[in-house]
Amino acid sequence: MKLNKKSLSILLLALPAFNCMAEWSGDISLQNRYFINDPLPQNPQQHDNYLSISTEIEYYSDLNSSDKSITFTPFIRIEQYDKERTHTDIRELFYEQVFENWELRAGISKVYWGVTESQHLVDVINQTDNVENIDFEDKLGQPMVKASFEKDWGIVDLFVLPYFRERTFQGVEGRPRSFPVVDTDRASYESSDKQQNIDYALRWFKYFGELELGLGYFNGTSREPLFIFDANALVLTPYYPQMQQASIDAQLTTEEWLWKFEAIARDWQQVDNNNSQISDESFFAMTGGFEYTFVGVYESDADLGLVMEYLYDDRGIDATAFFQNDIMLGFRLAVNDADSTEALLGIIYDLDNQERLISLEASKRFADSWTATLEIRGFNNIDRLSRLKGIEQDDFIQLDVAYFF
Amino acid sequence: MKLLPLKKSALQAALSTLLIFSLTPSVYADGASRGLEIANEADKRDTGFVDSIAQMKMTLTNKQGQTNTREVKVKTLEVIGDGDKGLSIFNTPKDIKGTASLTYSHALKPDEQWLYLPALKRVKRISSKNKSGPFMGSEFAYEDISSQEVAKYTYKYINDETFNGVDCFVIERYPAYKHSGYTRQVVWVNKQEYRAEKVDFYDRKNVLLKTLTYEGYQQYLGKFWRPDAMHMINHQTKKATTLSWKHYQFKTGLTDKDFNRNSLKRAK
């Protein structure tokens, strides 16, 4: 009897291991950022070298079923000086269930919309984790209920977003950052519900062979803040207006060429800091371009991709966005070796004031479970009146060494 | 020192050209139709598996004998009259865990391919031009691992030969699609089971580049032959890759819905 019980429990223990998929994975990463130039004289609190450590862990379980799952992905970074960059976030914590013709996701999650490389205009669901990096690629987890329907006429995603996440900004010791510093403790909202305002979004997507087309609509709190200048405290305070945004994104893929296009039309507000006025504003912005890949360059196994995009905003120099009439030129090298050695060089050139933003990212794997990533960012020929003025001295070289488990 | 391999390659090229020319007159009459006949029969015998799921382990070995491995789950949906649909989910190397690729392969028009990047939650439609490049840094090119449709090649029957004691048809096939890295492939086809036992790949200069051999064929559902291992040796770089296959399952009930954008994002 005793033996039977024991063998039964062993059997029960052993069963899920075969049938159920539940696993932990993640990475731990050490990062060093070195700034080539001294900080601006206005920012004596800043440093030249910043060391930090981060980890992101994912737990996934299929709940012993073929149609249900849970995912939990916490993230933490501890940074040497910047109290704002030392932060934690729940990137994901959601339940998902797949039904016959639709699927449901509820919890904290991340969603990506769009096709272009230089900027992501139509990608509006998740807030940017701006302290992680200034390239708008890192996102905070967004609480949501998402229903996705698959029909002959396309995939439709409906979103209800019950809680708003504020954008993260570097603290006084942080670098690179704006001047004056952003005081995130003093964020304000157009909506009286503040962070509890319920946002809605809708997306339709269809694949027509070579052409893929997406339409999006968002109604709620803008992820992008406006800034109110407080001359007494010498800080910028974020102000989050309500916005309505309609978007289109399309990609045409032929064997050699990728043609990409994104455009948005947004109704929201603008802040005039000269007379402390907030007024309504509408604008249009777009990104469009192509990617072409040369396969097996110089008779090697390497591929060289050429990316070119034009970035436009009809508010011109008044745009809250950095790119209003800019050209992006990118070179993507994939060595295609066993270590997945890759490099991406990007230059964004402002056709109005000749500012140049330069970035180089290179990475490779070593010893199976490790990667090394080098990132160099340069801000060149920054205009005297530019909103990038604060980061003019902030060219940096960053090395990340990550262990994956 | 550098001249030697060059000379050897040139010699090999000359020899193989000579071989084609000397064989051509005698077999030309029925060579093409006989070659196509063999390819059609092989295709017919592998039709009807409906769908499959398998675990693939790639072992990359460099010239110095150092190895790297990758584990990939491969799901395939048979599409009658067109190329199959495939979903590959990477489990290792760990830094790309969760990355998945979706392919709608076609006989002659370009394949359609999507890549899911889990860190960004982004699905990217990618160019299918890269047929000849290495798959995951291995000695298998994308065109070697993609769905092998009859219409992707033209054929020529060469002769009968025994390979490892197995009676084989030797056929040549010539890529009919754009951007192939090969001028031709020589395939040893098992006469009894119409499955490939060995393939020699000749590069764009018609020099022997790689040899693929199949090991440990097993029959599933009493019909479909799948190898336990595929060994690719690159004669020019001396690098090698072995694909080991495990846990083959057929007719698992996969449908078109398991091979679309939403399922790509969910793939585990």
Side-chain angles (χ1 to χ4, degrees), chain A residues 195-254:
Chain A
Q195 284 183 289
Q196 269 75 40
N197 189 72
I198 296 172
D199 302 342
Y200 301 92
L202 173 68
R203 180 165 166 84
W204 171 81
F205 181 86
K206 181 136 171 76
Y207 149 82
F208 302 93
E210 287 186 342
L211 177 72
E212 296 187 339
L213 190 62
L215 297 175
Y217 174 76
F218 177 93
N219 186 339
T221 308
S222 168
R223 273 52 185 150
E224 180 189 347
L226 298 165
F227 296 103
I228 297 168
F229 177 51
D230 180 338
N232 297 323
L234 200 62
V235 293
L236 299 173
T237 64
Y239 169 71
Y240 295 96
Q242 291 294 295
M243 77 164 193
Q244 282 195 74
Q245 176 166 305
S247 69
I248 181 168
D249 57 279
Q251 182 172 326
L252 185 71
T253 309
T254 65

Coordinates of all heavy atoms in Angstrom, one line a residue, chain A residues 195-254:
Chain A
Q195 N -4.3 58.5 -14.2 CA -3.8 57.2 -14.7 C -4.9 56.1 -14.8 O -4.7 55.1 -15.4 CB -2.7 56.7 -13.7 CG -1.3 57.4 -14.0 CD -0.2 56.8 -13.1 OE1 -0.3 57.0 -11.9 NE2 0.7 56.1 -13.7
Q196 N -6.0 56.4 -14.2 CA -7.1 55.5 -14.2 C -8.0 55.6 -15.5 O -9.0 54.9 -15.7 CB -8.0 55.6 -13.0 CG -7.6 54.7 -11.9 CD -6.4 55.1 -11.2 OE1 -6.2 56.3 -10.9 NE2 -5.5 54.2 -10.8
N197 N -7.7 56.6 -16.3 CA -8.4 56.8 -17.6 C -8.4 55.5 -18.4 O -7.3 54.9 -18.6 CB -7.8 57.9 -18.4 CG -8.7 58.3 -19.5 OD1 -9.8 58.9 -19.4 ND2 -8.3 58.0 -20.7
I198 N -9.5 55.1 -18.9 CA -9.6 53.8 -19.7 C -9.4 54.2 -21.1 O -10.1 55.0 -21.7 CB -10.9 53.1 -19.4 CG1 -11.0 52.7 -18.0 CG2 -11.0 51.9 -20.3 CD1 -12.3 52.1 -17.5
D199 N -8.4 53.6 -21.7 CA -8.1 53.9 -23.1 C -8.6 52.7 -24.0 O -8.6 51.6 -23.5 CB -6.5 54.0 -23.3 CG -6.0 55.1 -22.5 OD1 -6.7 56.0 -22.0 OD2 -4.7 55.1 -22.3
Y200 N -8.8 53.0 -25.3 CA -9.3 52.0 -26.2 C -8.5 52.0 -27.4 O -8.0 53.0 -27.9 CB -10.8 52.2 -26.6 CG -11.7 52.2 -25.4 CD1 -12.0 53.4 -24.8 CD2 -12.3 51.0 -24.9 CE1 -12.9 53.4 -23.7 CE2 -13.1 51.0 -23.8 CZ -13.4 52.2 -23.2 OH -14.2 52.3 -22.1
A201 N -8.3 50.8 -28.0 CA -7.6 50.8 -29.3 C -8.1 49.6 -30.1 O -8.7 48.7 -29.6 CB -6.1 50.6 -29.1
L202 N -7.9 49.8 -31.4 CA -8.5 48.9 -32.4 C -7.5 48.7 -33.5 O -6.9 49.7 -34.0 CB -9.8 49.5 -33.0 CG -10.5 48.8 -34.1 CD1 -11.1 47.5 -33.7 CD2 -11.6 49.8 -34.6
R203 N -7.3 47.5 -34.0 CA -6.3 47.3 -35.1 C -6.9 46.3 -36.0 O -7.4 45.2 -35.6 CB -5.0 46.9 -34.6 CG -3.9 46.7 -35.7 CD -2.5 46.6 -35.1 NE -1.6 46.1 -36.1 CZ -1.0 46.8 -37.0 NH1 -1.3 48.1 -37.1 NH2 -0.1 46.3 -37.9
W204 N -6.7 46.6 -37.3 CA -7.1 45.6 -38.4 C -5.9 45.4 -39.2 O -5.1 46.3 -39.5 CB -8.2 46.2 -39.3 CG -8.5 45.4 -40.5 CD1 -9.3 44.3 -40.6 CD2 -8.0 45.7 -41.8 NE1 -9.3 43.9 -41.9 CE2 -8.5 44.7 -42.7 CE3 -7.2 46.7 -42.4 CZ2 -8.2 44.7 -44.0 CZ3 -6.9 46.7 -43.7 CH2 -7.4 45.7 -44.6
F205 N -5.6 44.1 -39.5 CA -4.5 43.7 -40.3 C -4.8 42.7 -41.3 O -5.6 41.7 -41.0 CB -3.4 43.1 -39.3 CG -2.1 42.8 -40.0 CD1 -1.2 43.7 -40.2 CD2 -2.0 41.5 -40.5 CE1 0.0 43.4 -40.9 CE2 -0.8 41.1 -41.2 CZ 0.2 42.1 -41.4
K206 N -4.3 42.9 -42.5 CA -4.6 41.9 -43.5 C -3.4 41.7 -44.4 O -2.6 42.6 -44.7 CB -5.8 42.3 -44.4 CG -6.1 41.2 -45.5 CD -7.6 40.9 -45.6 CE -7.9 40.1 -46.8 NZ -7.5 38.7 -46.6
Y207 N -3.2 40.4 -44.8 CA -2.1 40.0 -45.7 C -2.7 39.7 -47.1 O -3.7 39.0 -47.2 CB -1.6 38.7 -45.0 CG -1.0 37.7 -45.9 CD1 0.3 37.8 -46.3 CD2 -1.7 36.5 -46.3 CE1 0.9 36.8 -47.1 CE2 -1.1 35.6 -47.1 CZ 0.2 35.7 -47.5 OH 0.7 34.7 -48.3
F208 N -2.2 40.4 -48.1 CA -2.6 40.2 -49.4 C -1.4 39.8 -50.2 O -0.9 40.4 -51.2 CB -3.0 41.6 -50.1 CG -4.2 42.3 -49.4 CD1 -3.9 43.3 -48.4 CD2 -5.5 42.0 -49.7 CE1 -5.0 43.9 -47.8 CE2 -6.5 42.7 -49.1 CZ -6.3 43.6 -48.1
G209 N -0.8 38.6 -49.9 CA 0.4 38.2 -50.6 C 1.6 39.1 -50.4 O 2.0 39.2 -49.3
E210 N 2.0 39.8 -51.4 CA 3.2 40.7 -51.3 C 2.9 41.9 -50.4 O 3.8 42.5 -49.9 CB 3.7 41.1 -52.7 CG 4.4 40.0 -53.5 CD 5.0 40.6 -54.8 OE1 4.6 41.7 -55.2 OE2 5.8 39.9 -55.3
L211 N 1.7 42.3 -50.3 CA 1.3 43.5 -49.6 C 0.7 43.1 -48.2 O -0.1 42.2 -48.1 CB 0.3 44.3 -50.4 CG -0.2 45.6 -49.6 CD1 0.9 46.6 -49.6 CD2 -1.4 46.1 -50.3
E212 N 1.2 43.8 -47.2 CA 0.6 43.6 -45.8 C 0.1 45.0 -45.4 O 0.9 46.0 -45.5 CB 1.6 43.0 -44.9 CG 2.0 41.6 -45.3 CD 2.8 40.9 -44.3 OE1 3.4 41.6 -43.4 OE2 2.8 39.7 -44.3
L213 N -1.1 45.1 -44.8 CA -1.7 46.4 -44.5 C -2.3 46.3 -43.1 O -2.9 45.4 -42.8 CB -2.8 46.6 -45.6 CG -3.4 48.0 -45.6 CD1 -2.3 49.1 -45.9 CD2 -4.5 48.0 -46.6
G214 N -2.0 47.4 -42.4 CA -2.6 47.5 -41.0 C -3.2 48.9 -40.9 O -2.7 49.9 -41.3
L215 N -4.3 48.9 -40.2 CA -5.0 50.2 -39.8 C -5.1 50.1 -38.3 O -5.4 49.1 -37.7 CB -6.3 50.3 -40.5 CG -6.4 50.3 -42.0 CD1 -7.9 50.4 -42.5 CD2 -5.7 51.6 -42.5
G216 N -4.9 51.3 -37.7 CA -5.0 51.4 -36.2 C -5.8 52.6 -35.8 O -5.8 53.6 -36.5
Y217 N -6.4 52.5 -34.6 CA -7.1 53.6 -34.0 C -6.9 53.5 -32.5 O -7.0 52.5 -31.9 CB -8.6 53.6 -34.3 CG -9.4 54.7 -33.6 CD1 -9.3 56.0 -34.0 CD2 -10.1 54.4 -32.5 CE1 -9.9 57.0 -33.3 CE2 -10.8 55.4 -31.8 CZ -10.7 56.7 -32.2 OH -11.3 57.7 -31.5
F218 N -6.6 54.7 -31.9 CA -6.3 54.8 -30.5 C -7.1 56.0 -29.9 O -7.0 57.1 -30.5 CB -4.8 54.9 -30.2 CG -4.4 55.1 -28.8 CD1 -4.1 54.0 -28.0 CD2 -4.4 56.3 -28.2 CE1 -3.8 54.1 -26.7 CE2 -4.1 56.4 -26.8 CZ -3.8 55.3 -26.1
N219 N -7.7 55.8 -28.8 CA -8.4 56.8 -28.1 C -8.1 56.7 -26.6 O -8.5 55.8 -26.0 CB -9.9 56.7 -28.4 CG -10.7 57.9 -27.8 OD1 -10.2 58.6 -26.9 ND2 -11.9 58.1 -28.3
G220 N -7.4 57.8 -26.1 CA -7.0 57.7 -24.7 C -5.9 58.6 -24.4 O -5.6 59.6 -25.1
T221 N -5.1 58.3 -23.3 CA -4.1 59.1 -22.8 C -2.8 58.9 -23.7 O -2.4 57.8 -24.0 CB -3.7 58.7 -21.4 OG1 -4.9 58.8 -20.6 CG2 -2.7 59.7 -20.8
S222 N -2.3 60.0 -24.2 CA -1.1 60.0 -25.1 C 0.1 59.4 -24.3 O 0.4 59.8 -23.2 CB -0.8 61.4 -25.6 OG 0.5 61.4 -26.2
R223 N 0.7 58.4 -25.0 CA 2.0 57.9 -24.4 C 3.1 58.9 -24.4 O 4.0 58.9 -23.6 CB 2.4 56.6 -25.1 CG 1.7 55.3 -24.7 CD 0.2 55.3 -24.6 NE -0.3 54.1 -24.1 CZ -1.4 54.0 -23.4 NH1 -2.2 55.0 -23.1 NH2 -1.8 52.8 -23.0
E224 N 3.0 59.7 -25.4 CA 4.1 60.8 -25.5 C 3.6 62.0 -24.7 O 2.5 62.5 -24.9 CB 4.2 61.2 -27.0 CG 5.2 62.3 -27.2 CD 5.2 62.8 -28.6 OE1 4.6 62.3 -29.5 OE2 5.8 63.9 -28.8
P225 N 4.4 62.4 -23.7 CA 4.0 63.6 -22.9 C 4.4 64.9 -23.6 O 5.3 64.9 -24.4 CB 4.9 63.4 -21.6 CG 6.1 62.7 -22.0 CD 5.7 61.9 -23.2
L226 N 3.7 66.0 -23.2 CA 4.2 67.3 -23.5 C 4.9 67.8 -22.2 O 4.8 67.2 -21.2 CB 3.0 68.2 -23.8 CG 2.1 67.8 -25.0 CD1 0.8 68.4 -25.0 CD2 2.9 68.0 -26.3
F227 N 5.7 68.9 -22.4 CA 6.4 69.3 -21.2 C 6.1 70.8 -20.8 O 6.0 71.6 -21.7 CB 7.9 69.2 -21.5 CG 8.4 67.8 -21.7 CD1 8.7 67.3 -22.9 CD2 8.5 66.9 -20.6 CE1 9.0 66.0 -23.1 CE2 8.9 65.6 -20.8 CZ 9.1 65.2 -22.1
I228 N 5.8 70.9 -19.5 CA 5.5 72.3 -19.0 C 6.8 72.7 -18.3 O 7.3 72.0 -17.4 CB 4.3 72.2 -18.1 CG1 3.0 71.9 -18.9 CG2 4.1 73.6 -17.4 CD1 1.8 71.5 -18.1
F229 N 7.3 73.8 -18.6 CA 8.6 74.3 -18.0 C 8.2 75.1 -16.8 O 7.5 76.0 -16.8 CB 9.3 75.2 -19.1 CG 10.5 75.8 -18.5 CD1 11.5 75.0 -17.9 CD2 10.8 77.2 -18.6 CE1 12.7 75.6 -17.4 CE2 12.0 77.7 -18.1 CZ 12.9 76.9 -17.5
D230 N 8.9 74.7 -15.7 CA 8.7 75.4 -14.4 C 10.0 76.2 -14.2 O 11.1 75.6 -13.8 CB 8.5 74.3 -13.3 CG 8.4 75.0 -11.9 OD1 8.8 76.2 -11.8 OD2 7.8 74.4 -11.0
A231 N 9.9 77.5 -14.4 CA 11.1 78.3 -14.4 C 11.7 78.5 -13.0 O 12.9 78.7 -12.8 CB 10.8 79.7 -15.0
N232 N 10.8 78.3 -11.9 CA 11.3 78.5 -10.6 C 12.1 77.3 -10.1 O 13.2 77.4 -9.6 CB 10.1 78.6 -9.6 CG 9.3 79.9 -9.9 OD1 9.9 80.9 -10.3 ND2 8.0 79.8 -9.8
A233 N 11.5 76.1 -10.4 CA 12.2 74.8 -10.0 C 13.3 74.4 -11.0 O 14.1 73.5 -10.8 CB 11.2 73.7 -9.8
L234 N 13.2 75.1 -12.2 CA 14.1 74.7 -13.3 C 14.0 73.3 -13.7 O 14.9 72.5 -13.7 CB 15.6 75.1 -13.0 CG 16.4 75.2 -14.3 CD1 15.9 76.4 -15.2 CD2 17.9 75.5 -13.9
V235 N 12.7 72.8 -13.8 CA 12.5 71.5 -14.3 C 11.4 71.5 -15.4 O 10.7 72.5 -15.5 CB 12.0 70.5 -13.1 CG1 13.1 70.3 -12.1 CG2 10.7 71.1 -12.5
L236 N 11.3 70.4 -16.1 CA 10.2 70.1 -17.0 C 9.3 69.1 -16.3 O 9.7 68.2 -15.7 CB 10.7 69.5 -18.3 CG 11.7 70.3 -19.2 CD1 12.3 69.5 -20.3 CD2 11.1 71.6 -19.7
T237 N 8.0 69.4 -16.4 CA 7.1 68.4 -15.8 C 6.2 67.9 -17.0 O 5.8 68.6 -17.9 CB 6.1 69.1 -14.8 OG1 5.3 70.1 -15.4 CG2 6.9 69.7 -13.7
P238 N 6.1 66.5 -17.0 CA 5.3 65.9 -18.1 C 3.8 66.2 -17.9 O 3.3 66.1 -16.8 CB 5.6 64.4 -17.9 CG 6.6 64.3 -16.8 CD 6.6 65.5 -16.0
Y239 N 3.2 66.4 -19.1 CA 1.8 66.6 -19.1 C 1.2 65.7 -20.2 O 1.7 65.7 -21.3 CB 1.4 68.1 -19.5 CG 0.0 68.3 -19.8 CD1 -1.0 68.3 -18.8 CD2 -0.4 68.6 -21.2 CE1 -2.3 68.5 -19.2 CE2 -1.7 68.8 -21.5 CZ -2.7 68.8 -20.5 OH -4.0 69.0 -20.8
Y240 N 0.3 64.8 -19.8 CA -0.3 63.8 -20.7 C -1.7 64.2 -21.2 O -2.6 64.0 -20.4 CB -0.3 62.4 -20.0 CG 1.1 61.9 -19.7 CD1 1.7 62.1 -18.4 CD2 1.9 61.2 -20.7 CE1 3.0 61.6 -18.1 CE2 3.1 60.7 -20.4 CZ 3.7 60.9 -19.1 OH 4.9 60.5 -18.9
P241 N -1.8 64.7 -22.4 CA -3.1 65.0 -22.9 C -3.9 63.8 -23.4 O -3.3 62.7 -23.5 CB -2.8 65.9 -24.1 CG -1.5 65.5 -24.6 CD -0.7 64.9 -23.4
Q242 N -5.1 63.9 -23.6 CA -5.9 62.9 -24.3 C -5.6 63.0 -25.8 O -5.3 64.1 -26.3 CB -7.4 63.1 -24.1 CG -7.8 62.9 -22.6 CD -7.7 61.4 -22.3 OE1 -8.3 60.5 -22.8 NE2 -6.8 61.1 -21.3
M243 N -5.6 61.8 -26.5 CA -5.4 61.9 -27.9 C -6.3 60.9 -28.7 O -6.7 59.9 -28.1 CB -4.0 61.7 -28.3 CG -3.5 60.3 -28.2 SD -1.9 60.1 -29.1 CE -1.8 58.3 -29.3
Q244 N -6.5 61.2 -29.9 CA -7.1 60.3 -30.8 C -6.1 60.2 -32.0 O -5.7 61.2 -32.5 CB -8.4 60.8 -31.4 CG -9.6 60.7 -30.5 CD -10.9 60.9 -31.2 OE1 -11.3 60.1 -32.0 NE2 -11.5 62.1 -31.1
Q245 N -5.8 58.9 -32.3 CA -4.8 58.8 -33.4 C -5.3 57.7 -34.3 O -5.7 56.6 -33.9 CB -3.5 58.4 -32.8 CG -2.4 58.1 -33.9 CD -1.0 58.1 -33.3 OE1 -0.6 59.0 -32.7 NE2 -0.3 57.0 -33.5
A246 N -5.3 58.0 -35.6 CA -5.6 57.0 -36.7 C -4.2 56.7 -37.4 O -3.4 57.6 -37.6 CB -6.6 57.5 -37.7
S247 N -4.0 55.4 -37.7 CA -2.7 55.1 -38.3 C -2.9 54.1 -39.4 O -3.8 53.3 -39.5 CB -1.8 54.6 -37.3 OG -2.2 53.3 -36.8
I248 N -1.9 54.1 -40.3 CA -1.8 53.1 -41.4 C -0.4 52.6 -41.5 O 0.6 53.4 -41.3 CB -2.3 53.7 -42.7 CG1 -2.2 52.6 -43.8 CG2 -1.5 54.9 -43.2 CD1 -2.9 53.0 -45.1
D249 N -0.2 51.3 -41.6 CA 1.2 50.8 -41.9 C 1.1 49.8 -43.0 O 0.2 49.0 -43.0 CB 1.8 50.3 -40.6 CG 1.0 49.2 -39.9 OD1 0.1 49.5 -39.2 OD2 1.4 48.0 -40.1
A250 N 2.1 49.8 -43.9 CA 2.0 48.9 -45.0 C 3.4 48.5 -45.4 O 4.4 49.2 -45.2 CB 1.4 49.6 -46.2
Q251 N 3.5 47.2 -45.8 CA 4.8 46.7 -46.3 C 4.6 45.9 -47.6 O 3.7 45.1 -47.6 CB 5.5 45.9 -45.3 CG 6.9 45.4 -45.8 CD 7.7 44.7 -44.7 OE1 7.7 45.0 -43.5 NE2 8.5 43.7 -45.1
L252 N 5.4 46.3 -48.6 CA 5.4 45.5 -49.8 C 6.7 44.7 -49.9 O 7.7 45.3 -49.8 CB 5.2 46.5 -51.0 CG 5.1 45.9 -52.4 CD1 3.7 45.2 -52.5 CD2 5.3 46.9 -53.5
T253 N 6.6 43.4 -50.0 CA 7.8 42.6 -50.0 C 7.9 41.9 -51.3 O 7.1 41.0 -51.6 CB 7.6 41.5 -48.8 OG1 7.3 42.2 -47.6 CG2 8.9 40.8 -48.7
T254 N 8.9 42.3 -52.1 CA 9.2 41.5 -53.3 C 10.4 40.6 -52.9 O 10.9 40.7 -51.8 CB 9.5 42.4 -54.4 OG1 10.7 43.1 -54.2 CG2 8.4 43.4 -54.7

